Amino acid sequence: MKCFGLIGNPLEHSFSPLIHKHLFGIKNIDASYKLLETTPENLKKRIDELKSGEYDGFNVTIPYKIEIMKYLDEISPEALAIGSVNTICMKNGKVVGYNTDYFGFKRELEYYNIKVEKQNAYVLGTGGASKAITKALENMNANVTLVSRHPKNNIIGYEDLKSKKIDLIVNTTPVGMYPHMDDSPLDEEIASKAKCIVDIIFNPSKTKLMSYNKNSYNGLLMLIFQAAEAEDIWLDKVYDIDYNKIIEDVRGDIGE
């Protein structure tokens, strides 16, 4: 049996084991997927577990998508260009990092037919997920601006959004994630004037931020699409998957 896992902290909100269970099942792959809450001091230990064959591959989530890079032997060109890694495995005796968040987010936009070309997109947060999403939006010809609690250079502050024309807001921060479901990175005045909101949080299925805008989407599809991309990398094979069935099954299991 192959064994995979998710490195991050905290992980109590994660649906990744459920998603990979469905993906492994549809492919007839005998594999397990574990949640591996990890302290910064134990990151290198996780890499050693991969090298020893204890695990066959990892996903990486908050807060280690940038930190993990210093422990890798190689980084794929797209992950290097993005500046963050969320998928790692052994290739030719080396620990290699990839970024599947980019593909997951792009495919979610395409699935929901969210047009971003020449639109004013504001990305909340500047962490690892933000880097992948910003790159995807830029490559889709959106006008992208980063928003942070610590504005500097070309990064604006949250209050600055009050004076902006907003086509799309993408929340890449953990604000509003389970169990802190009453929190929102923006107030209703700003959120309601956006044409569309994508909150990459997937638990809860409707965040406080999403409740402020009728045209809003969570991050579940991004999670599903990036998970499938990660498995293609781990298993070194591209699978033809009925994504509509996977999406329907996962939504059914989580009651969305």
PDB file of all heavy atoms in Angstrom, residues 7 11 35 50 60 69 87 104 195 201 216 256:
ATOM      1  N   ILE A   7       1.102  17.789   5.284  1.00  0.00           N
ATOM      2  CA  ILE A   7       1.926  18.484   6.277  1.00  0.00           C
ATOM      3  C   ILE A   7       1.353  19.876   6.493  1.00  0.00           C
ATOM      4  O   ILE A   7       1.163  20.639   5.539  1.00  0.00           O
ATOM      5  CB  ILE A   7       3.379  18.607   5.790  1.00  0.00           C
ATOM      6  CG1 ILE A   7       4.009  17.226   5.595  1.00  0.00           C
ATOM      7  CG2 ILE A   7       4.207  19.435   6.762  1.00  0.00           C
ATOM      8  CD1 ILE A   7       5.368  17.290   4.905  1.00  0.00           C
ATOM      9  N   LEU A  11      -4.684  21.218  11.248  1.00  0.00           N
ATOM     10  CA  LEU A  11      -5.259  20.415  10.165  1.00  0.00           C
ATOM     11  C   LEU A  11      -6.660  19.885  10.484  1.00  0.00           C
ATOM     12  O   LEU A  11      -7.217  19.102   9.711  1.00  0.00           O
ATOM     13  CB  LEU A  11      -4.339  19.231   9.843  1.00  0.00           C
ATOM     14  CG  LEU A  11      -2.961  19.572   9.271  1.00  0.00           C
ATOM     15  CD1 LEU A  11      -2.137  18.301   9.083  1.00  0.00           C
ATOM     16  CD2 LEU A  11      -3.083  20.325   7.952  1.00  0.00           C
ATOM     17  N   LEU A  35      -3.358  12.881   7.955  1.00  0.00           N
ATOM     18  CA  LEU A  35      -3.123  14.259   8.391  1.00  0.00           C
ATOM     19  C   LEU A  35      -1.918  14.258   9.332  1.00  0.00           C
ATOM     20  O   LEU A  35      -1.914  13.553  10.343  1.00  0.00           O
ATOM     21  CB  LEU A  35      -4.350  14.816   9.116  1.00  0.00           C
ATOM     22  CG  LEU A  35      -5.609  14.975   8.266  1.00  0.00           C
ATOM     23  CD1 LEU A  35      -6.758  15.510   9.130  1.00  0.00           C
ATOM     24  CD2 LEU A  35      -5.363  15.916   7.088  1.00  0.00           C
ATOM     25  N   LEU A  50      10.087  10.820   3.995  1.00  0.00           N
ATOM     26  CA  LEU A  50       9.882  10.643   2.554  1.00  0.00           C
ATOM     27  C   LEU A  50      11.073   9.927   1.935  1.00  0.00           C
ATOM     28  O   LEU A  50      10.914   8.984   1.149  1.00  0.00           O
ATOM     29  CB  LEU A  50       9.696  12.020   1.902  1.00  0.00           C
ATOM     30  CG  LEU A  50       9.280  12.062   0.433  1.00  0.00           C
ATOM     31  CD1 LEU A  50       7.900  11.460   0.239  1.00  0.00           C
ATOM     32  CD2 LEU A  50       9.289  13.509  -0.066  1.00  0.00           C
ATOM     33  N   VAL A  60       1.452  19.931   1.129  1.00  0.00           N
ATOM     34  CA  VAL A  60       1.903  20.898   2.134  1.00  0.00           C
ATOM     35  C   VAL A  60       0.905  22.041   2.179  1.00  0.00           C
ATOM     36  O   VAL A  60       0.503  22.576   1.135  1.00  0.00           O
ATOM     37  CB  VAL A  60       3.303  21.451   1.789  1.00  0.00           C
ATOM     38  CG1 VAL A  60       3.797  22.366   2.898  1.00  0.00           C
ATOM     39  CG2 VAL A  60       4.290  20.312   1.546  1.00  0.00           C
ATOM     40  N   MET A  69      10.428  24.855   1.160  1.00  0.00           N
ATOM     41  CA  MET A  69      11.277  24.912  -0.033  1.00  0.00           C
ATOM     42  C   MET A  69      12.760  24.752   0.291  1.00  0.00           C
ATOM     43  O   MET A  69      13.520  24.194  -0.498  1.00  0.00           O
ATOM     44  CB  MET A  69      11.025  26.211  -0.800  1.00  0.00           C
ATOM     45  CG  MET A  69       9.612  26.313  -1.374  1.00  0.00           C
ATOM     46  SD  MET A  69       9.226  27.927  -2.098  1.00  0.00           S
ATOM     47  CE  MET A  69      10.162  27.843  -3.624  1.00  0.00           C
ATOM     48  N   THR A  87       3.208  20.379  -3.001  1.00  0.00           N
ATOM     49  CA  THR A  87       3.253  18.946  -3.294  1.00  0.00           C
ATOM     50  C   THR A  87       4.711  18.526  -3.410  1.00  0.00           C
ATOM     51  O   THR A  87       5.487  19.181  -4.117  1.00  0.00           O
ATOM     52  CB  THR A  87       2.520  18.643  -4.630  1.00  0.00           C
ATOM     53  OG1 THR A  87       1.151  19.019  -4.498  1.00  0.00           O
ATOM     54  CG2 THR A  87       2.603  17.169  -4.983  1.00  0.00           C
ATOM     55  N   GLY A 104      -5.207  24.031  -9.585  1.00  0.00           N
ATOM     56  CA  GLY A 104      -6.490  23.866  -8.913  1.00  0.00           C
ATOM     57  C   GLY A 104      -7.332  25.119  -8.962  1.00  0.00           C
ATOM     58  O   GLY A 104      -8.536  25.065  -9.251  1.00  0.00           O
ATOM     59  N   LYS A 195     -17.959  42.226  -7.805  1.00  0.00           N
ATOM     60  CA  LYS A 195     -18.768  41.438  -8.738  1.00  0.00           C
ATOM     61  C   LYS A 195     -18.789  39.969  -8.337  1.00  0.00           C
ATOM     62  O   LYS A 195     -19.776  39.267  -8.531  1.00  0.00           O
ATOM     63  CB  LYS A 195     -18.213  41.562 -10.163  1.00  0.00           C
ATOM     64  CG  LYS A 195     -18.455  42.903 -10.839  1.00  0.00           C
ATOM     65  CD  LYS A 195     -17.920  42.842 -12.267  1.00  0.00           C
ATOM     66  CE  LYS A 195     -18.043  44.182 -12.978  1.00  0.00           C
ATOM     67  NZ  LYS A 195     -17.468  44.117 -14.351  1.00  0.00           N
ATOM     68  N   ILE A 201     -11.109  29.143   1.320  1.00  0.00           N
ATOM     69  CA  ILE A 201     -11.517  28.322   2.463  1.00  0.00           C
ATOM     70  C   ILE A 201     -12.627  27.371   1.998  1.00  0.00           C
ATOM     71  O   ILE A 201     -13.503  27.750   1.223  1.00  0.00           O
ATOM     72  CB  ILE A 201     -12.003  29.211   3.621  1.00  0.00           C
ATOM     73  CG1 ILE A 201     -10.818  29.970   4.245  1.00  0.00           C
ATOM     74  CG2 ILE A 201     -12.741  28.396   4.678  1.00  0.00           C
ATOM     75  CD1 ILE A 201     -11.214  31.016   5.266  1.00  0.00           C
ATOM     76  N   SER A 216     -20.662  34.269  -4.863  1.00  0.00           N
ATOM     77  CA  SER A 216     -19.447  33.856  -4.152  1.00  0.00           C
ATOM     78  C   SER A 216     -19.291  32.342  -4.197  1.00  0.00           C
ATOM     79  O   SER A 216     -20.269  31.594  -4.277  1.00  0.00           O
ATOM     80  CB  SER A 216     -19.475  34.338  -2.698  1.00  0.00           C
ATOM     81  OG  SER A 216     -20.601  33.819  -2.014  1.00  0.00           O
ATOM     82  N   GLU A 256     -22.575  19.438   1.720  1.00  0.00           N
ATOM     83  CA  GLU A 256     -22.619  20.770   1.090  1.00  0.00           C
ATOM     84  C   GLU A 256     -23.752  20.837   0.076  1.00  0.00           C
ATOM     85  O   GLU A 256     -23.915  19.929  -0.729  1.00  0.00           O
ATOM     86  CB  GLU A 256     -21.288  21.067   0.412  1.00  0.00           C
ATOM     87  CG  GLU A 256     -21.249  22.464  -0.219  1.00  0.00           C
ATOM     88  CD  GLU A 256     -19.904  22.791  -0.837  1.00  0.00           C
ATOM     89  OE1 GLU A 256     -18.875  22.604  -0.135  1.00  0.00           O
ATOM     90  OE2 GLU A 256     -19.869  23.196  -2.013  1.00  0.00           O
TER      91      GLU A 256
END
